Amino acid sequence: MPATADARYDLIIIGSGPGGGAVAWRLAATGKRILILERGGYLPRSRDNWDTREVFTKARYQAKETWTAANGEEFHPGLHYFVGGNSKVYGAALFRLRTSDFGAVRHEDGISPAWPLGYEALAPCYQLAEDLYRIRGLRGDDPTEPPADRPYPCPPVEHEPRIAALSDNLRRLGHRPFHLPMAVLLDQDAAGDALPDSTCIRCDHCDGYPCPVNAKADAQVVCVDPTLHDHPNVTMMTHAFADRLLTDAPGGSVTGVEVVIGDGEAAIRRMFAADVVVVACGALSSALLMLRSGNAAHPDGLGNASGLVGRNYMRHNNSIVLAVSRTPNPTRFQKTLGLNDFYHAPENGGMGEWDYPLGHIQMVGKSDGAQIEAEALPGFLQRFPEAPFGWIARHSIDFWLQSEDLPLPQNRISYSGGRVRLDLTPTNAQAHRRLRAALRRILDHVDIHPHLFDRTLYFGQDVPIGGTAHQAGTMRFGPDPASAVLDLDCKVHGIDNLYVADASFFPSIGAVNPTLTIIANAIRVADRIGERLVA
């Protein structure tokens, strides 16, 4: 179907997640005509959002796509196409990358490369991002935290008694637990309980669930909706899939975005033009858009003269494990505690034989009986043969373990035979195993059974370990067009008006959640775009 030409805008932003939402929020006050294109709609607000079977077992909100792995096996990627993007189901723990993450870091499997910009280039934007997302935290509580000029905008989410006891026990062992920096819209009293008018009620269905009361500070809640409400110059089109980017004949400028609106036979194809286009679909989808947009000037895809579009994909080595406490754990909002004692190589908890970083540990959302039953973990049946799933849930304490993986050129997203193919060679697996072993040793000293049981449903059905939630690195930035897709302002090398504002630009990923870095860099990129829009 041919595309019909539509109105021209000053700026088109493709994607309404943390990156695209931050660009729209930052540039709305310029008064320029801005169009946000979102391939999904608003995620439904329903009691099913708190239903474990609907969200995890049935993967109700996960994208209904089938991709192939390098071995030909099919899987469903852990993507969510809604206003706000994957932040609608994120865990809301927002970290700055550590200062050391911007330099080269040595791992057993190789070097995690240095960034072409240092921490100081992003520090002011990190502060803006923390204020925007109203992060609750305690500055200086985390010993690995990078320097900052101001406290967090809100005090930390208080531990509930069982987690406070765990924190105290960890400190007695010489560890340095800290309050997680959380982006939740909570008003709490001195005891940490939600006040009567608080949006967040400290429920036990936050981490990985979409919030039906909009109590998570996600891209829709804090960026997109307020921007649309306050700035009539910004509009958003939902159910609008950006199929291709069009360029002029020499290929040096994007002239339009071909968009498919709707589904099936009722779908229509339209073309929108803008002075500047920002791609913020997520690292995987953004790379696919660039590859789909090849033309005579860019035969291998836009910006792909280096052959790097889609390559160097990273997603962290992630796992969620459940331990069984000898005493009940009635905690509802469990995700308040983190531990970075194993983040840097010299601090590996006395593990002198291993001279590499291990990674990050934090609490994760509380298990319930339905999750445990759905995952049917055989270890439970062997070690607790008489215990019903509900009893195990009441005694469970749940942890998220995260280690850095390395950007390998062969780890890539591409098209093969018209289908999406994701190639993934795991790296740094030994460090992740050692991180798990370190946690197991700790638990043996804090009145918790040291046996760890894997929880897998959080990552979505049939998704390889780590899933795609922390996707990054498919269009790295750098000054040299031969070794980078984007320049230091995240403008595509060789294309004058095309920018990228998601995690595609990451040269490395560190071992903390990438979302705050996406937001901070999107603000930095927006400021560069703003300078040219108002010139």
Side-chain angles (χ1 to χ4, degrees):
M1 53 184 170
T4 59
D6 288 273
R8 185 177 185 87
Y9 292 84
D10 297 300
L11 173 66
I12 291 175
I13 302 168
I14 305 172
S16 65
V23 172
W25 167 81
R26 188 66 169 170
L27 293 177
T30 64
K32 299 296 183 178
R33 296 189 65 209
I34 299 173
L35 173 65
I36 304 170
L37 296 172
E38 169 54 51
R39 73 182 295 176
Y42 276 89
L43 193 147
R45 298 179 65 184
S46 164
R47 291 184 63 172
D48 288 338
N49 295 6
W50 278 325
D51 188 304
T52 296
R53 287 185 172 87
E54 290 293 329
V55 174
F56 292 108
T57 309
K58 297 181 181 179
R60 176 171 182 164
Y61 300 114
Q62 190 175 317
K64 310 303 181 186
E65 294 185 11
T66 301
W67 292 0
T68 60
N71 60 5
E73 292 184 3
E74 297 182 343
F75 68 96
H76 302 299
L79 302 175
H80 300 81
Y81 299 142
F82 296 101
V83 177
N86 274 351
S87 72
K88 293 304 299 179
V89 295
Y90 78 157
L94 297 186
F95 288 86
R96 301 184 184 203
L97 283 174
R98 316 292 91 171
T99 304
S100 62
D101 290 326
F102 290 86
V105 178
R106 188 167 62 96
H107 295 278
E108 182 190 35
D109 290 347
I111 301 294
S112 176
W115 288 43
L117 297 177
Y119 168 75
E120 65 280 356
L122 276 177
C125 297
Y126 271 131
Q127 191 70 57
L128 290 170
E130 289 170 347
D131 293 343
L132 174 63
Y133 275 70
R134 289 168 261 180
I135 297 179
R136 309 193 71 93
L138 182 61
R139 193 73 76 198
D141 201 23
D142 176 358
T144 68
E145 183 182 62
D149 293 335
R150 300 199 306 271
Y152 284 103
C154 304
V157 180
E158 295 294 342
H159 301 315
E160 294 180 40
R162 182 65 185 89
I163 306 306
L166 173 60
S167 179
D168 291 342
N169 287 335
L170 290 173
R171 290 189 183 280
R172 279 194 286 271
L173 291 173
H175 293 289
R176 297 167 294 177
F178 59 91
H179 291 81
L180 288 175
M182 295 296 298
V184 289
L185 306 181
L186 170 69
D187 294 314
Q188 60 185 0
D189 60 21
D193 295 323
L195 294 172
D197 58 350
S198 173
T199 306
C200 175
I201 59 174
R202 292 192 67 125
C203 74
D204 57 354
H205 284 67
C206 178
D207 202 358
Y209 296 83
C211 182
V213 297
N214 286 337
K216 268 195 292 197
D218 60 43
Q220 175 215 322
V221 171
V222 302
C223 284
V224 176
D225 285 355
T227 297
L228 294 173
H229 180 271
D230 296 339
H231 298 277
N233 57 302
V234 182
T235 58
M236 180 171 65
M237 183 172 294
T238 59
H239 303 287
F241 171 63
D243 187 33
R244 289 178 57 84
L245 302 175
L246 309 176
T247 73
D248 57 13
S253 179
V254 171
T255 58
V257 183
E258 279 199 14
V259 180
V260 178
I261 301 171
D263 298 310
E265 295 182 358
I268 61 173
R269 185 177 289 269
R270 296 171 65 181
M271 193 275 285
F272 299 93
D275 294 337
V276 177
V277 174
V278 174
V279 174
C281 314
L284 294 171
S285 295
S286 288
L288 291 175
L289 172 59
M290 301 288 277
L291 294 171
R292 285 196 305 272
S293 300
N295 56 32
H298 299 272
D300 298 319
L302 292 195
N304 201 23
S306 63
L308 293 175
V309 171
R311 294 187 181 272
N312 300 301
Y313 166 63
M314 298 167 287
R315 83 283 181 247
H316 280 140
N317 292 322
N318 293 325
S319 59
I320 298 179
V321 296
L322 182 156
V324 178
S325 172
R326 294 179 172 87
T327 57
N329 177 21
T331 304
R332 290 174 297 124
F333 194 96
Q334 182 174 251
K335 192 168 183 175
T336 58
L337 183 145
L339 189 68
N340 275 338
D341 289 0
F342 310 104
Y343 200 94
H344 297 122
E347 301 177 0
N348 283 335
M351 300 169 67
E353 78 283 2
W354 182 259
D355 194 27
Y356 307 104
L358 298 187
H360 165 70
I361 298 171
Q362 64 175 252
M363 309 303 298
V364 74
K366 189 79 168 64
S367 295
D368 62 22
Q371 284 176 316
I372 295 170
E373 181 180 5
E375 290 172 314
L377 305 180
F380 285 135
L381 305 180
Q382 295 172 10
R383 297 192 177 275
F384 306 99
E386 306 299 325
F389 296 119
W391 181 92
I392 295 173
R394 287 191 296 274
H395 286 255
S396 72
I397 295 184
D398 310 81
F399 299 89
W400 176 288
L401 288 78
Q402 188 162 284
S403 303
E404 183 168 8
D405 61 333
L406 299 177
L408 302 182
Q410 64 266 34
N411 286 353
R412 65 183 297 202
I413 185 84
S414 61
Y415 284 102
S416 177
R419 302 188 67 184
V420 177
R421 171 172 162 169
L422 184 62
D423 292 354
L424 180 64
T425 300
T427 66
N428 213 19
Q430 177 71 275
H432 199 67
R433 285 191 291 269
R434 286 175 177 266
L435 183 63
R436 183 182 178 120
L439 175 62
R440 190 166 55 242
R441 286 195 298 272
I442 290 172
L443 297 183
D444 199 25
H445 293 88
V446 294
D447 198 35
I448 299 173
H449 289 284
H451 310 292
L452 302 177
F453 307 97
D454 288 292
R455 285 175 51 188
T456 57
L457 280 180
Y458 184 97
F459 297 117
Q461 299 283 33
D462 304 321
V463 178
I465 185 169
T468 56
H470 291 186
Q471 55 186 284
T474 56
M475 290 188 277
R476 63 168 51 170
F477 80 144
D480 183 2
S483 59
V485 178
L486 311 175
D487 69 13
L488 295 185
D489 292 333
C490 290
K491 184 180 72 66
V492 176
H493 279 297
I495 302 181
D496 175 65
N497 62 341
L498 180 60
Y499 293 78
V500 175
D502 53 32
S504 302
F505 83 102
F506 281 46
S508 63
I509 197 172
V512 292
N513 187 297
T515 304
L516 190 69
T517 303
I518 296 171
I519 300 164
N521 186 67
I523 293 172
R524 185 183 71 89
V525 171
D527 287 347
R528 302 290 81 76
I529 295 171
E531 291 169 0
R532 66 182 290 172
L533 287 178
V534 301

